[in-house]
Amino acid sequence: AQSVSQHNHHVILSEAASLELGCNYSYGGTVNLFWYVQYPGQHLQLLLKYFSGDPLVKGIKGFEAEFIKSKFSFNLRKPSVQWSDTAEYFCAVNAAGRRALTFGSGTRLQVQP
Amino acid sequence: DVKVTQSSRYLVKRTGEKVFLECVQDMDHENMFWYRQDPGLGLRLIYFSYDVKMKEKGDIPEGYSVSREKKERFSLILESASTNQTSMYLCASSTDRDTEAFFGQGTRLTVV
């Protein structure tokens, strides 16, 4: 069964600091990878996704993620965070051919002004 | 824009009640999903459906059932609500071509 690990449960940063959130998955075959964000009181929305091709994926709001197949990782990055990035971030995976996504436990990001 | 609409934002039910959570999507998506979201546990898949009247169990189906009589509507049923089913319930939909899931606003269910 596929699983997803997010190592950072709660991250506190000051504005303009750089962000990297870790995500590792356990599945040996072809995978599709996603990062979702949930702002306070809002529904989950997609930040970015990787299906194939360039392993460096750019998403909305200045976020990017890098797929490293040898490390089974898909870490999320942003060079300079803003207070408005305060939210919970979820990494998700699905094996090729599967319909449902498997989510990690989430990382709560708090950005202090 | 894809829209996934859940019928209630907040629900309070009593232990033992039968509870229905409704979800409608407007983009003709084949797949629909029910997840529950709990602090520190992320999202866990309860059930999903890939076609009308077709369903598959997810990772935590115990205590739940589902119904999909029409393509756009997917219902989650708690046969006899218990306090450990107090949670945020999220509905989502996707196509077979692109497994990106689109989510509703969620229903926060409290069982007392």
Side-chain angles (χ1 to χ4, degrees), chain B residues 68-87:
Chain B
R68 194 168 181 200
E69 297 296 319
K70 294 184 178 181
K71 190 174 185 180
E72 67 271 17
R73 187 179 297 270
F74 192 37
S75 303
L76 179 69
I77 304 154
L78 286 65
E79 297 291 341
S80 177
S82 64
T83 54
N84 64 11
Q85 292 178 311
T86 291
S87 187

Side-chain angles (χ1 to χ4, degrees), chain A residues 34-38 44-48 76 88-92 101 103, chain B residues 99-103:
Chain A
F34 305 81
W35 275 97
Y36 282 83
V37 61
Q38 188 175 37
L44 265 82
Q45 51 189 287
L46 184 73
L47 267 181
L48 47 80
L76 181 71
E88 190 155 19
Y89 293 81
F90 294 92
C91 181
L101 303 185
F103 284 82
Chain B
T99 51
E100 173 188 346
F102 295 84
F103 283 86

